[in-house]
Amino acid sequence: MKTLEALSNFISKYMAAFVIIVAAVALFMPWTFKWAAGYVTYLLGIVMFGMGMTLRFEDFKLVFQRPKDVLVGAVAQFTIMPGLAWLLATLFQLPPELAVGVILVGTCPGGTSSNVMTYLARGDVPLSVSMTMTTTILAPVVTPLLTWWLAGAWIEISLAAMMISIVQVVVVPIVLGIVINKLFGDFVRRAIKLLPLISVIAIVLIVGGVVSVSSQQIMQTGLLIMAVVMLHNLLGYALGFAVAKALRMNLAKSKAISIEVGMQNSGLASSLALMHFGAAAAIPGAVFSVWHNISGSLAANYLAGKMDKEEKAVANKFSRKLI
């Protein structure tokens, strides 16, 4: 068990590197991961099930204990990223399937890796977790509605079909995970250290599968999509932070909202794209999966060094005690 735990910690720590390696292999040797494309929905379900197993019904109390903070974060999530996606797709005059893919990334809820990055950035982790839970719960309704509204000009969208898909691959696995945690809490607590290993493997295979079936299109439009994805992500961080500071939130909360807004559940975007719009629409989600793990790590390292007056006072007081 200790060996598996060590392996889990190692793979989690270097997740970004594994994602990049697998994406590169899938791009230049697509046959290696093409088989995984048919299992993307199930792999995402595994990731969501793992997320559910780390939660308890009691954790949802956080949302009601801090309604203002969570509301600000959720509204920022579902306005900044969808708005940026539509703006970038329009400015860069993206082809219909790529435009829908970018908008899907923007309308999806926050990703679970944002919680880890917020922790590394010394941000408000409970707020980050609460935002992820809230936007994920809202996703079956909000994501299809926003996608239909913003992407309807490019392609026909079935609201009902998208809502059902999100319930199947997100809500049901998370609820099952929470129930398993409730019924078999002792076992889950012993096995929870292995969950990152399973989740990372699933995420890596999702990226590999999507890149492999889209390798030709990525070769043709790679630089354009990379530019759009990078702008989408970086502007999300910046605007999320700016909104939080404009509302006079402290630095820890601002860090959490910045990272939560900028990092999306791109696995869900890729899965929905493959199910409803085709392989080309899944490209932005796959590229985002690779990029936001890199940028998230860099952002966390940068933000970790930023402290407000209250944090500096606590740190100085602790240092004096050590001396």
Side-chain angles (χ1 to χ4, degrees), residues 248-310:
R248 300 182 182 278
M249 290 185 160
N250 65 30
L251 187 58
K253 292 178 183 179
S254 299
K255 290 177 182 180
I257 289 177
S258 172
I259 292 172
E260 191 71 26
V261 168
M263 299 187 74
Q264 299 292 89
N265 189 337
S266 47
L268 175 59
S270 296
S271 179
L272 290 173
L274 284 176
M275 285 190 282
H276 298 282
F277 307 112
I283 295 172
V287 175
F288 201 98
S289 293
V290 177
W291 168 250
H292 83 163
N293 280 296
I294 299 170
S295 69
S297 300
L298 295 173
N301 287 334
Y302 172 76
L303 290 172
K306 300 289 182 181
M307 293 189 291
D308 58 21
K309 291 180 181 178
E310 185 179 342

